[in-house]
Amino acid sequence: MGNGAAVVIAPGGAFRTLSVTNEGLAVARWLADRGIAAFVLKYRLEPTPPEPAEYQALIGEFQRRFAAGEITAADLAVPPEAVADGQAAVRLVRARASEWHIDPARVGFIGFSAGAMTAVAVTIESPPDARPDLVIAVYPAMLPVNVPVDAPPMFLVLASDDPLFGGQGYGLVESWKAAGSPVEFHLFERGGHGFGMRRQDLTSDRWPRVLQEWMHMHGWAPPSDVTVAP
């Protein structure tokens, strides 16, 4: 049975695709098993070639550049359309909260990689009606941002060996602290980038358990040794 909390999920994919299974549907099932309503967001991406062969070539070149360490934060700027879609999702959940048995004051946002950057942007750039009540950023860009003083609590996960964001420092965490907003940050020794809900036999596999304890602390989930019966 639902507990009234809800979370919008933004999968990653470098703003060129969406990792809907590993960073979307699997996350939604995990949340639902804990009594939290889950909504997977298919936000708008950067334009890509319409022909399959050209699209595959573009993705292949991006993956090559990623593996070579050639991708920079400039390659992953958050499209305004993605922010608008995230804001629309939060507004929609709140607008239909009564119908869906959701507390409109407990609408969160979780994102992975590009989706995490979208989650952060939605949180810091939105008016109150579109701002989530908590934000969960899993391997986001770590550069400093301008955080409003009324920003909601943030839970942040990163692997130290993340080839994309692991060497950027901790500006995002420091920005949240400077604004006086609650932040919990977990830096795992290994995990790489894009691990999502996959198991790798590493300590980073335990991030969902730690997240559940944090959500329990904020009154959004049962303790990590308890799930909700369907």
Side-chain angles (χ1 to χ4, degrees), residues 21-38:
T21 300
N22 182 45
E23 298 173 347
L25 299 178
V27 181
R29 286 191 291 269
W30 184 89
L31 289 165
D33 286 345
R34 286 147 184 83
I36 301 165

Side-chain angles (χ1 to χ4, degrees), residues 29-160:
R29 286 191 291 269
W30 184 89
L31 289 165
D33 286 345
R34 286 147 184 83
I36 301 165
F39 302 84
V40 179
L41 174 64
K42 293 184 177 180
Y43 55 93
R44 283 172 286 178
L45 307 173
E46 295 288 357
T48 54
E51 293 298 325
E54 295 180 20
Y55 173 78
Q56 290 299 329
L58 181 146
I59 296 300
E61 173 62 11
F62 187 91
Q63 291 174 338
R64 183 201 66 76
R65 293 180 60 211
F66 179 87
E70 297 173 0
I71 299 297
T72 67
D75 292 304
L76 296 174
V78 183
E81 295 85 358
V83 178
D85 291 346
Q87 293 170 332
V90 173
R91 289 188 175 113
L92 175 64
V93 174
R94 288 202 174 114
R96 302 185 67 174
S98 177
E99 175 186 351
W100 291 338
H101 306 289
I102 290 168
D103 180 353
R106 288 198 295 160
V107 179
F109 207 119
I110 182 172
F112 298 78
S113 190
M117 295 168 64
T118 301
V120 171
V122 170
T123 302
I124 65 177
E125 297 177 15
S126 299
D129 69 315
R131 182 181 302 155
D133 300 299
L134 59 71
V135 58
I136 303 156
V138 185
Y139 37 84
M142 294 296 293
L143 299 175
V145 295
N146 294 319
V147 180
V149 294
D150 57 350
M154 180 173 72
F155 181 93
L156 197 155
V157 175
L158 183 71
S160 183

